[in-house]
Amino acid sequence: MNKTIASVAIVGAVVSAVACGSDDTDQSTSDGNDYATQQTARSPAQRTDESKPTASPTDLGMIDQAKLASFVFAFRAGYSELTQDRDDSSIELIVLQSCDDIANGVDEQQVTDEIRTLAAHNGNEPTQDQAERIYDMVTPACPG
């Protein structure tokens, strides 16, 4: 229980810090982990509903790298069993695919179900409650 409270406190602090940050998207500081690069890594099999069109990176806008980094930090802090031996780009994909689905009008329950699949790692899968909390962490990172 204390871990959960600490995780929520960390997430709140990170989200607050990010919310107060700049929306400046200076392309010269990009580390190559932009949305377009991540989209090429998606395989069609990872989509839950192929009939829905996907938004292009220009439709979705650039995901703020600070918000993406904050999500990775909070996810690692709150879900150690899902992050052990996992690289950041795999965790970032949770945000990228979820934001894409949200932008395309996929309902919250379907996005949450996909988050369970995306967040699963090394035989560990988040519970429905954890997936809902991860969804709540994802949505602030999505472009408005």
Side-chain angles (χ1 to χ4, degrees):
M1 183 66 168
N2 286 337
K3 272 184 147 179
T4 303
I5 293 170
S7 296
V8 170
I10 289 170
V11 170
V14 170
V15 169
S16 295
V18 170
C20 294
S22 170
D23 284 334
D24 186 22
T25 55
D26 183 7
Q27 295 296 328
S28 65
T29 60
S30 176
D31 63 359
N33 286 330
D34 63 24
Y35 183 77
T37 302
Q38 293 298 326
Q39 279 301 98
T40 60
R42 273 178 86 173
S43 72
Q46 291 174 314
R47 299 251 342 137
T48 57
D49 184 359
E50 285 301 317
S51 64
K52 294 201 183 269
T54 58
S56 71
T58 53
D59 292 340
L60 196 56
M62 292 295 292
I63 291 181
D64 185 299
Q65 293 300 306
K67 291 178 182 178
L68 193 57
S70 295
F71 172 84
V72 171
F73 175 80
F75 186 81
R76 285 192 182 282
Y79 304 98
S80 60
E81 71 280 1
L82 301 173
T83 62
Q84 187 174 6
D85 301 324
R86 190 171 191 171
D87 63 5
D88 287 353
S89 63
S90 171
I91 297 169
E92 290 170 350
L93 194 59
I94 297 167
V95 173
L96 299 173
Q97 284 193 237
S98 298
C99 287
D100 186 36
D101 288 342
I102 291 167
N104 285 314
V106 176
D107 90 347
E108 183 176 338
Q109 184 58 51
Q110 287 178 297
V111 175
T112 302
D113 290 343
E114 186 172 359
I115 286 172
R116 287 187 77 181
T117 301
L118 293 169
H121 185 67
N122 285 343
N124 295 310
E125 184 175 315
T127 64
Q128 183 63 29
D129 184 56
Q130 288 173 323
E132 290 169 5
R133 283 185 273 153
I134 294 168
Y135 177 91
D136 291 340
M137 292 167 45
V138 163
T139 53
C142 296

